[in-house]
Amino acid sequence: GESVGLHLPTLSVQEGDNSIINCAYSNSASDYFIWYKQESGKGPQFIIDIRSNMDKRQGQRVTVLLNKTVKHLSLQIAATQPGDSAVYFCAENKGGTSYGKLTFGQGTILTVHP
Amino acid sequence: DTGVSQDPRHKITKRGQNVTFRCDPISEHNRLYWYRQTLGQGPEFLTYFQNEAQLEKSRLLSDRFSAERPKGSFSTLEIQRTEQGDSAMYLCASSLLRASGPGGTGELFFGEGSRLTVL
């Protein structure tokens, strides 16, 4: 079936480096994509989202890139900090009446070393 | 704290028992969602409500599962005759979705989850 998946399950970086987390999706009908951060024992926390009519969106220290041609999504974190260590999930949504019915990927564990 | 709250945070039960989880969404949010998350996996959609109406249920939600949102505010998720395979984190999320006007972007705010262990 259609799914959202991640290329790398783990990513280790040094504090201050930039991090890039990748995600592939297969549902061409998806029109809304979100990145979530989940710390141990907590619920997912919204980071940034992007709609299919955009290819880039920037937030505070984070940038999401969307390549619809190859169905690829990435999250860039600038100047990664130890507090960024968590599991990162991409999620996709078909929008419309299904808004909020998200399909999550497996997750990437980001570890930031001081 | 005005975020999404879930209760209990942890529940250990024996196989065959019934359990109920409660979710209190952010007060003005009209949509409420239930997701299930197992270790090492992303959350999986179970069901959602718009106000008090349950609009969609996943095939993951067997007949043993029932969710309600009677007054369009808090919601309960009940699992009857629990099985070991029901062990998971049950996450609730809420959002405000407006057809027009300011705000209401539909961003989902998740609670901390209710962890169920079935022995």
Side-chain angles (χ1 to χ4, degrees):
Chain A
E2 294 167 324
S3 63
V4 178
L6 297 172
H7 294 303
L8 299 173
T10 61
L11 178 64
S12 293
V13 300
Q14 291 295 128
E15 182 177 2
D17 287 351
N18 296 333
S19 301
I20 300 176
I21 301 172
N22 295 301
C23 176
Y25 68 94
S26 58
N27 187 348
S28 57
S30 296
D31 62 2
Y32 178 55
F33 304 88
I34 316 99
W35 281 100
Y36 284 91
K37 171 186 179 183
Q38 188 172 27
E39 297 175 339
S40 181
K42 296 187 176 182
Q45 178 185 359
F46 174 92
I47 300 173
I48 192 168
D49 59 1
I50 188 168
R51 298 194 182 277
S52 58
N53 61 353
M54 304 172 68
D55 54 19
K56 180 179 180 179
R57 190 163 187 227
Q58 289 184 293
Q60 187 176 11
R61 285 202 304 118
V62 294
T63 300
V64 56
L65 299 177
L66 175 63
N67 185 332
K68 295 183 289 294
T69 301
V70 295
K71 296 178 186 170
H72 185 267
L73 191 68
S74 69
L75 176 70
Q76 300 178 358
I77 306 174
T80 317
Q81 303 167 0
D84 295 327
S85 295
V87 180
Y88 289 80
F89 293 97
C90 62
E92 52 102 356
N93 185 230
K94 286 187 274 189
T97 57
S98 296
Y99 202 92
K101 181 185 173 185
L102 303 176
T103 300
F104 283 79
Q106 188 175 14
T108 292
I109 301 171
L110 175 64
T111 303
V112 183
H113 301 283
Chain B
D1 187 348
T2 57
V4 177
S5 64
Q6 294 188 241
D7 182 73
R9 292 291 313 278
H10 303 276
K11 178 71 176 178
I12 300 173
T13 191
K14 293 182 179 179
R15 188 177 56 186
Q17 298 294 306
N18 299 344
V19 296
T20 300
F21 301 115
R22 175 181 169 121
C23 172
D24 287 272
I26 295 172
S27 61
E28 67 269 23
H29 283 187
N30 54 0
R31 285 201 169 185
L32 186 148
Y33 307 83
W34 285 100
Y35 282 79
R36 180 172 68 187
Q37 185 176 27
T38 53
L39 198 62
Q41 301 296 317
E44 296 174 296
F45 170 82
L46 292 178
T47 188
Y48 85 95
F49 294 82
Q50 177 148 324
N51 300 314
E52 66 275 7
Q54 188 173 17
L55 297 187
E56 188 167 348
K57 294 195 294 184
S58 163
R59 285 171 291 179
L60 294 174
L61 216 62
S62 77
D63 292 343
R64 296 184 297 105
F65 289 70
S66 61
E68 294 181 343
R69 195 184 183 197
K71 299 180 180 179
S73 56
F74 75 91
S75 176
T76 57
L77 176 68
E78 181 183 17
I79 308 174
Q80 296 182 325
R81 304 180 304 281
T82 52
E83 302 173 356
Q84 289 183 326
D86 297 332
S87 296
M89 176 77 83
Y90 290 86
L91 292 162
C92 178
S94 69
S95 70
L96 175 62
L97 194 64
R98 290 200 186 102
S100 62
T105 61
E107 175 188 333
L108 265 65
F109 293 84
F110 281 87
E112 303 289 20
S114 293
R115 180 168 294 284
L116 173 65
T117 302
V118 182
L119 302 177

